[in-house]
């Protein structure tokens, strides 16, 4: 997968997360990854709880009932932009 495709997929997954707590934790994890990137294996920098949450989020992305159509994402985005 090309990096631009990977970024687009990550953006889409983030856009589909409705739980604010999960988004906060994901954001904190990404910030930590960015800081640790130059020091080697960033997975080791995560707490057990952060690893569990990331594993859970990854498993949930594989469940078809969690998938959101592109049209629905566009509708939601238009709604959020109007608020």
């Amino acid at each position: 997968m090309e990096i631009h495709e990977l970024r687009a997929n990550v953006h889409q997954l983030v856009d589909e997360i409705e739980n604010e707590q999960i988004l906060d934790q994901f954001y904190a994890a990404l910030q930590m990854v960015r800081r640790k990137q130059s020091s080697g294996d960033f997975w080791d920098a995560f707490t057990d709880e952060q690893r569990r949450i990331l594993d859970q989020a990854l498993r949930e992305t594989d469940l078809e009932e969690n998938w959101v159509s592109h049209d629905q994402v566009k509708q939601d985005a238009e709604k959020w932009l109007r608020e």
Side-chain angles (χ1 to χ4, degrees):
M1 182 178 304
E2 298 286 328
I3 193 164
H4 66 278
E5 293 173 300
L6 187 56
R7 280 187 180 135
N9 289 344
V10 169
H11 287 280
Q12 182 177 353
L13 289 174
V14 169
D15 288 342
E16 294 170 2
I17 296 172
E18 297 295 329
N19 184 308
E20 185 175 352
Q21 182 181 11
I22 291 173
L23 282 174
D24 283 340
Q25 292 171 346
F26 186 68
Y27 180 72
L30 286 177
Q31 284 184 313
M32 184 175 50
V33 167
R34 191 170 80 186
R35 287 191 303 267
K36 298 283 184 177
Q37 222 170 13
S38 62
S39 67
D41 187 7
F42 61 85
W43 187 253
D44 294 336
F46 292 133
T47 66
D48 288 341
E49 178 68 7
Q50 289 169 324
R51 289 179 190 159
R52 184 191 65 72
I53 290 167
L54 289 169
D55 285 338
Q56 177 184 352
L58 183 59
R59 282 192 308 276
E60 288 177 2
T61 63
D62 291 331
L63 300 175
E64 193 170 333
E65 64 263 19
N66 291 336
W67 296 357
V68 177
S69 72
H70 181 69
D71 289 336
Q72 183 63 48
V73 171
K74 288 189 332 187
Q75 288 175 4
D76 291 345
E78 288 174 10
K79 181 180 120 186
W80 297 327
L81 290 172
R82 282 181 269 155
E83 292 179 354

